Amino acid sequence: MNFSNIKILHIDSNHPLLWEQLEQAGFSNEADFTSSKQEVETKIENYHGIVIRSRFKIDKTFLDKATNLQFIARVGAGLESIDCDYASTKGIHLIAAPEGNANAVGEHALGMLLSLFNNLNKATNEVKSGQWKREANRGHELEGKTIGIIGYGNMGKSFAKKLRGFDVTVLCHDILPNMGDANATQVSLSELQEKADVLSLHTPWTPETDKMINSNFIENFKKPFWFINTARGNSVVTDDLVTALQSGKILGAGLDVLEYEKLSFETLFEGEKPAAFEYLLHAENVILTPHIAGWTFESHEKLAQTIVDKIITLYSK
């Protein structure tokens, strides 16, 4: 099939194979990594597809000007930067690549959990400063613990797979039925909150998950627990998380995402730091990473390949 009449605009840089393979397949590629949203809107009618990460929001205004757009491909897992409902009313196909960085996220979540259990970051900082505190850094073992996963799609399943061999019980909760598998037993939210020693969040950011992890949600856990978030920062009320850390209801937290991130995920807020964020910065039982759980050299390539394959499949039907 000849794809040369399909013009694709790339507004974010990605792994070079994405551009190269689309070009080899016959598509017409153009790049614009610097123009503002308004400037892109003046020419978007000339394109049939757009490849994005998160540089700006694809909203109704943008979509109304994209009169010939046939698909939007986001090189990432989520589609929250796109007005998906409105795009669907215009017959625009939405493409994402959650398969591309699922393994990376699963490994990162496990790394955070093991580090929290064994005080690795705290102990490293102490030894480097000349302190040798063995008893103060006595750790915990995963064996025998119950791990609760909320959101059992690509990311949640990847994390559960990584837990095989640790002799843990893995429970999952999802809004869709029958999502459990050999690596996790699907249960109600209340059962997960009753039994979990660890909570790992793997949900997309939606109206249902916005500010989901709040004081009421946390207090419904029967036991103190460790918390891992490699999903979206806006799903957590940071003030309530800090309160739970201070009270001991949350024993430690590994946070790859924060509610203070900008939509592009490239920077945090500007200006004075909120008190809750200041607490997280100095808490010894908190690990912070800059939204890199899915940001490996391998996933960079996998994400691009997934998008290429899905675009070619779309036009090969």
Side-chain angles (χ1 to χ4, degrees):
M1 181 177 292
N2 183 9
F3 300 140
S4 60
N5 62 332
I6 306 299
K7 294 180 63 178
I8 301 174
L9 179 64
H10 301 248
I11 65 169
D12 290 288
S13 61
N14 287 292
H15 193 285
L17 77 79
L18 196 157
W19 181 287
E20 292 166 2
Q21 291 191 19
L22 287 174
E23 193 171 68
Q24 290 168 7
F27 292 94
S28 297
N29 290 315
E30 293 185 23
D32 187 341
F33 302 157
T34 59
S35 292
S36 68
K37 175 176 177 286
Q38 290 72 27
E39 290 170 332
V40 173
E41 285 174 353
T42 64
K43 62 180 181 180
I44 191 60
E45 65 179 344
N46 299 319
Y47 300 94
H48 305 98
I50 185 169
V51 177
I52 68 171
R53 287 207 319 264
S54 301
R55 186 151 68 88
F56 51 70
K57 187 171 178 60
I58 308 297
D59 55 17
K60 288 184 179 181
T61 301
F62 187 96
L63 293 168
D64 281 339
K65 295 179 183 297
T67 52
N68 292 302
L69 203 61
Q70 297 170 3
F71 75 84
I72 303 169
R74 178 167 183 268
V75 188
L79 294 169
E80 65 265 32
S81 61
I82 304 167
D83 189 332
C84 297
D85 292 338
Y86 195 61
S88 295
T89 66
K90 291 180 168 291
I92 298 171
H93 294 273
L94 302 176
I95 299 171
E99 312 92 330
N101 60 357
N103 183 72
V105 170
E107 290 188 3
H108 194 95
L110 179 58
M112 282 188 145
L113 183 56
L114 291 172
S115 184
L116 285 171
F117 266 46
N118 294 284
N119 299 310
L120 297 186
N121 288 42
K122 174 177 174 289
T124 295
N125 291 333
E126 288 174 356
V127 173
K128 286 184 175 181
S129 67
Q131 303 176 71
W132 191 264
K133 299 181 178 180
R134 296 186 69 222
E135 184 58 36
N137 285 300
R138 190 184 291 272
H140 298 269
E141 297 178 19
L142 270 178
E143 183 178 16
K145 303 296 191 297
T146 297
I147 316 298
I149 298 173
I150 296 184
Y152 205 60
N154 289 282
M155 310 301 174
K157 288 179 184 294
S158 174
F159 181 50
K161 183 179 178 181
K162 304 293 180 288
L163 291 166
R164 296 183 68 170
F166 282 96
D167 293 323
V168 295
T169 299
V170 183
L171 306 177
C172 66
H173 176 72
D174 198 277
I175 59 172
L176 299 176
N178 305 315
M179 292 295 288
D181 57 18
N183 299 322
T185 301
Q186 186 164 357
V187 297
S188 66
L189 178 59
S190 60
E191 183 174 349
L192 186 147
Q193 290 174 315
E194 178 186 353
K195 297 179 177 178
D197 299 295
V198 174
L199 171 63
S200 188
L201 195 62
H202 296 279
T203 52
W205 183 39
T206 67
E208 290 73 28
T209 63
D210 185 60
K211 297 178 174 58
M212 177 176 71
I213 311 299
N214 55 30
S215 57
N216 289 335
F217 183 95
I218 293 167
E219 286 306 313
N220 282 331
F221 277 77
K222 182 178 180 181
K223 299 182 282 187
F225 63 96
W226 284 266
F227 177 59
I228 305 293
N229 187 11
T230 54
R232 288 293 184 264
N234 283 313
S235 294
V236 179
V237 179
T238 308
D239 286 344
D240 294 350
L241 170 65
V242 166
T243 298
L245 284 164
Q246 292 171 328
S247 71
K249 188 58 184 273
I250 292 182
L251 300 168
L255 308 174
D256 182 55
V257 290
L258 295 166
E259 68 169 301
Y260 313 115
E261 290 179 80
K262 293 186 176 180
L263 181 65
S264 67
F265 306 138
E266 297 297 330
T267 57
L268 285 172
F269 56 85
E270 297 175 355
E272 186 177 352
K273 296 182 181 70
F277 185 41
E278 284 284 2
Y279 179 88
L280 295 177
L281 290 176
H282 298 97
E284 292 183 331
N285 60 341
V286 174
I287 298 173
L288 301 171
T289 53
H291 205 134
I292 56 169
W295 204 253
T296 62
F297 290 101
E298 292 82 1
S299 70
H300 189 41
E301 183 172 346
K302 290 177 187 176
L303 286 166
Q305 189 65 63
T306 301
I307 293 297
V308 169
D309 294 343
K310 289 185 176 182
I311 292 173
I312 291 176
T313 297
L314 175 65
Y315 287 97
S316 299
K317 295 178 180 178

